[in-house]
């Protein structure tokens, strides 16, 4: 096993701070016009890929709802939900990502709280503190998921909902270079995949860059079965293609679930 001494939270915090500086797609804040439309009830946010989330998955009226945007910094979902009336807390591992949310809040006069931390540890929050947890595609950046689902369950009120997006693990079967550069689907990796077990530090640096975020595939047992094991009841499921991955011609790259904490 390679790279067992790597701290994924620390490494990925630095990586995402750098992505913010570079203008990563998921670090570009919404516009003042987007916020103003959301105040009038005209809004959408993404949970997987670039697909707007089904509005029926969220409360009809967000006014006064306590909503946790989990690993969802970047000045995108949190400000829109705050403008739509929710009491929003954005929790993220990257100070840079949280800074984007604070920038939008200051620019547009929004009430929005930001908290720094690892998605596996929500000890900053009490039990039953939120009505909704909105968790877009991000758990590929942690090596284990059981704590994520257990913590989501704990911080939700009875009857509260978890909206979670995640990658189809089959995306990690393929050779990155062949896929990105030539659009060829060449199976090279045994699942579950991990950047730190499938490559040495030197190989990772050569393929992705030494400072690239570390990624981990997770089985559907860990993703869906993990939510069920935590106590959730699944009530919705969707899938979508990746916005820029050549494998999207052949399969859905993203999955999302709607889960309820029984009342």
């Amino acid at each position: 096993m390679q790279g067992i001494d790597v701290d994924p939270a620390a490494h990925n915090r630095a990586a995402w701070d750098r992505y913010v500086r570079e203008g990563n797609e998921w670090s570009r804040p919404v516009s003042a016009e987007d916020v103003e439309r959301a105040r009038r009830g005209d809004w959408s946010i993404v949970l997987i890929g670039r697909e707007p989330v089904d509005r029926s998955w969220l409360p009809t009226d967000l006014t006064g709802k306590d909503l946790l945007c989990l690993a969802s910094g970047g000045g995108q979902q949190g400000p829109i939900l705050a403008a739509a009336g929710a009491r929003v807390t954005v929790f993220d591992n990257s100070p840079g990502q949280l800074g984007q949310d604070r920038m939008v809040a200051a620019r547009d006069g929004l009430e929005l709280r930001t908290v720094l931390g690892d998605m596996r540890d929500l000890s900053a929050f009490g039990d039953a503190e939120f009505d909704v947890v909105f968790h877009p595609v991000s758990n590929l950046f942690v090596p284990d998921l059981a704590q994520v689902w257990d913590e989501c369950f704990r911080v939700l009120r009875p009857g509260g909902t978890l909206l979670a997006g995640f990658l189809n693990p089959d995306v990690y079967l393929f050779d990155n270079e062949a896929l990105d550069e030539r659009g060829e689907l060449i199976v090279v990796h045994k699942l579950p995949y991990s950047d730190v077990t499938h490559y040495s530090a030197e190989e990772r640096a050569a393929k992705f860059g030494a400072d690239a975020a570390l990624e981990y595939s997770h089985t559907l047992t860990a993703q869906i079965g993990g939510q069920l094991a935590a106590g959730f009841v699944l009530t919705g499921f969707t899938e979508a293609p990746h916005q820029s991955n050549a494998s999207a011609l052949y399969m859905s790259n993203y999955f999302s679930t709607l889960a309820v904490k029984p009342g």
Side-chain angles (χ1 to χ4, degrees):
M1 304 282 282
Q2 299 285 346
I4 56 174
D5 58 337
V6 174
D7 179 342
H11 181 97
N12 286 345
R13 178 173 294 176
W16 272 97
D17 282 350
R18 181 171 59 83
Y19 293 160
V20 172
R21 296 191 296 270
E22 293 174 350
N24 182 278
E25 176 180 3
W26 305 114
S27 302
R28 299 171 196 159
V30 294
S31 69
E33 291 75 20
D34 292 330
V35 170
E36 185 54 37
R37 283 194 294 271
R39 284 190 166 114
R40 300 194 301 266
D42 176 15
W43 58 270
S44 66
I45 52 175
V46 297
L47 182 62
I48 52 175
R50 293 181 178 145
E51 300 285 333
V53 69
D54 185 337
R55 287 280 291 270
S56 72
W57 281 24
L58 288 156
T60 303
D61 185 2
L62 288 173
T63 304
K65 296 294 185 182
D66 292 304
L67 195 150
L68 176 63
C69 286
L70 179 59
S72 180
Q76 299 183 354
Q77 296 96 0
I80 293 297
L81 291 164
R87 289 194 293 259
V88 173
T89 298
V90 181
F91 185 91
D92 201 276
N93 186 43
S94 161
Q97 284 282 81
L98 293 176
Q100 302 294 71
D101 291 277
R102 289 193 296 272
M103 182 276 289
V104 176
R107 182 192 70 196
D108 299 326
L110 296 171
E111 291 290 331
L112 183 148
R113 175 171 61 150
T114 62
V115 180
L116 179 69
D118 184 331
M119 71 182 83
R120 296 169 294 178
D121 178 7
L122 302 184
S123 57
F125 310 118
D127 295 351
E129 190 167 330
F130 298 99
D131 299 297
V132 178
V133 174
F134 187 85
H135 180 45
V137 179
S138 56
N139 66 30
L140 67 155
F141 299 116
V142 294
D144 48 90
L145 297 185
Q147 291 171 281
V148 176
W149 305 134
D150 287 344
E151 285 287 80
C152 287
F153 191 86
R154 180 184 66 79
V155 303
L156 275 170
R157 293 171 181 141
T161 52
L162 165 67
L163 288 74
F166 49 93
L167 273 179
N168 179 344
D170 290 351
V171 169
Y172 288 97
L173 287 168
F174 307 110
D175 178 78
N176 270 78
E177 187 175 1
L179 191 62
D180 293 343
E181 295 183 6
R182 302 186 298 278
E184 297 177 359
L185 277 65
I186 301 176
V187 174
V188 294
H189 296 138
K190 182 179 180 180
L191 301 182
Y193 168 87
S194 161
D195 281 344
V196 300
T197 58
H198 284 55
Y199 297 110
S200 68
E202 294 76 18
E203 289 168 335
R204 287 198 309 272
K207 286 187 75 69
F208 312 117
D211 299 328
L214 300 173
E215 297 188 14
Y216 306 82
S217 82
H218 298 293
T219 65
L220 294 181
T221 297
Q223 294 281 16
I224 296 175
Q227 293 181 52
L228 296 172
F232 285 106
V233 175
L234 266 65
T235 59
F237 181 88
T238 60
E239 53 191 274
H242 193 284
Q243 63 273 10
S244 59
N245 190 301
S247 64
L249 294 171
Y250 306 96
M251 65 183 189
S252 295
N253 307 78
Y254 291 119
F255 299 142
S256 64
T257 52
L258 175 64
V260 178
K261 178 175 179 174

